[in-house]
Amino acid sequence: MSDEPDPRYGAVAGVVTAIGSLFMFAVLIGFMFSLSQVSAGGLAGALSEFVFLTALIAVFGGIITLPVIATIGAIVGYGYEWYLARR
C-alpha cells in the first residue's frame, strides 16, 4: 500500500478487519466454552469441543452476520481513507 490515502484500500481493509474480528470472536467463544472440559481433566474432549464450537460459530455466525459486518467495515474504511485524502 502506498503512503497516500486511498479509499479503495480503506474499504478492503475494513472488510478484512471485519472478517478477522468475526473469526477471532468465534475462537475466543470456543476457547471459553472448552475451558470447562480442561478443568474436568479431559484434554481431548476440550480440544474437540473447541474445534466444534469454533467451527459452528464461525460458519453459522459468518453466514448470518458477515454480509452486514463486511458492508459496515467497507463503508467505515472507505470513509476514513476518504477523510484522510481530503484533509
Side-chain angles (χ1 to χ4, degrees):
M1 291 179 59
S2 65
D3 291 337
E4 297 291 323
D6 187 2
R8 291 175 293 171
Y9 289 135
V12 171
V15 170
V16 169
T17 303
I19 293 170
S21 64
L22 176 71
F23 288 112
M24 285 305 298
F25 176 73
V27 167
L28 288 174
I29 293 296
F31 176 73
M32 291 181 68
F33 278 115
S34 67
L35 283 178
S36 63
Q37 292 289 331
V38 171
S39 64
L43 187 58
L47 184 61
S48 68
E49 185 173 347
F50 168 74
V51 170
F52 175 73
L53 284 174
T54 302
L56 185 72
I57 293 170
V59 169
F60 290 111
I63 290 170
I64 294 169
T65 62
L66 192 61
V68 174
I69 291 175
T71 304
I72 291 171
I75 291 169
V76 170
Y78 183 88
Y80 177 73
E81 289 290 323
W82 179 81
Y83 171 76
L84 289 179
R86 302 299 180 262
R87 207 165 58 141

